[in-house]
Structures are given as structure tokens and as C-alpha cells.
Amino acid sequence: MPLYDLMYMIHPAATRQEVVNIVKRTGEYVSRSGGVVTAVTSYGTRDLAYKFKLKGESSYSSRAHVMQLSFLVGPKTLDELRHQVQVDENVMRHLFYKTESKPSLRKLKKEERWTPVTPVFPRPFAASALPTFPTEAPGFPILSEQ
């Protein structure tokens, strides 16, 4: 199965929950059809280089939620997935592209797995360990009472 990336530009008026639901539906469809979602990346709400005319509206928008979904899936599933994305009214623009590199899906060894690390805080200074500053420099009185 080849690796594909899907870039979404989602309507800026869509709530965070709606954006999550769009990505979730796509990911669930990929997994139901035997594919594997390898990465989901959110680029947040971005200002666009130019304005897009929104579907079914007379207004234009120069902002969008930008999302990227990477997945392994067969070509037949890709056609149905493309149809689902086109039908969604919150998706302003989308782009599917095939990438050449395949992700590493091997099982990690025990040494490579992430383990939580206890943070190490510096010990408090003892009073004798604090640096001392001179009150006078030779020839230059710093603090003088006159």
C-alpha cells in the first residue's frame, strides 16, 4: 500500500469539535478499509495568501484551519475517500498526494520506547555558597556614606 498525504483547508467558522470530527471520520474510514493512519498534523488557523470563495456562499475567506493526515491505503479506497472529502461542506479545499517515502512501522525495542523522566531540580544554595560582591573597588568607592 502506498503512503498518501491529505491536506485539508477547513472553513474558519468551523468549531474545533467540527474539525476533529472531520479528521476522525476520515481516519475511521481509512482504518475500516484496511489502511493505517500514520500521522495527523494540525497547522492551526492560518491566514491564506489569497481569498477563497466558500461553497454555497457569496462571501470570501482569507483564513482556514489547515490539517494534514498521512495514511497507508489502497487506490480503490482513495477514490471513495476523495468523494467523502468533496461532499463535506466545511472543507474549503483539499489535496491528496502520494509520497515516495514509507514510514517506519516496526515495533520499537525496549530501549527505544519512551519512558517518563523524573525532573531534576537544582538544590537550593547554602548561604556560604553564594558569591560575595565587593563594596568598594580600589580607587572607586561604590557605596560611600557622606
Side-chain angles (χ1 to χ4, degrees), residues 60-135:
Y60 290 84
S61 177
S62 62
R63 292 183 63 82
H65 299 289
V66 180
M67 299 290 295
Q68 179 181 3
L69 186 73
S70 301
F71 52 91
L72 296 163
V73 74
K76 292 181 181 178
T77 307
L78 192 65
D79 292 334
E80 178 60 32
L81 196 57
R82 183 172 283 125
H83 174 71
Q84 283 185 356
V85 172
Q86 285 175 347
V87 171
D88 195 334
E89 61 187 30
N90 282 326
V91 178
M92 294 168 40
R93 298 285 191 273
H94 67 277
L95 175 68
F96 286 91
Y97 58 97
K98 185 177 178 181
T99 59
E100 296 298 322
S101 63
K102 291 194 175 187
S104 174
L105 296 177
R106 66 181 174 82
K107 200 169 192 176
L108 294 176
K109 296 177 184 172
K110 190 172 184 178
E111 307 86 48
E112 296 174 325
R113 293 184 188 152
W114 180 82
T115 55
V117 178
T118 307
V120 178
F121 297 105
R123 293 185 205 147
F125 285 110
S128 62
L130 292 175
T132 58
F133 297 100
T135 56

Side-chain angles (χ1 to χ4, degrees), residues 27-56:
E28 286 173 353
Y29 182 77
V30 167
S31 63
R32 271 193 318 237
S33 62
V36 177
V37 175
T38 58
V40 177
T41 308
S42 172
Y43 296 101
T45 304
R46 298 287 183 149
D47 290 324
L48 304 176
Y50 50 92
K51 295 183 177 185
F52 283 103
K53 186 169 184 179
L54 304 176
K55 291 180 185 176

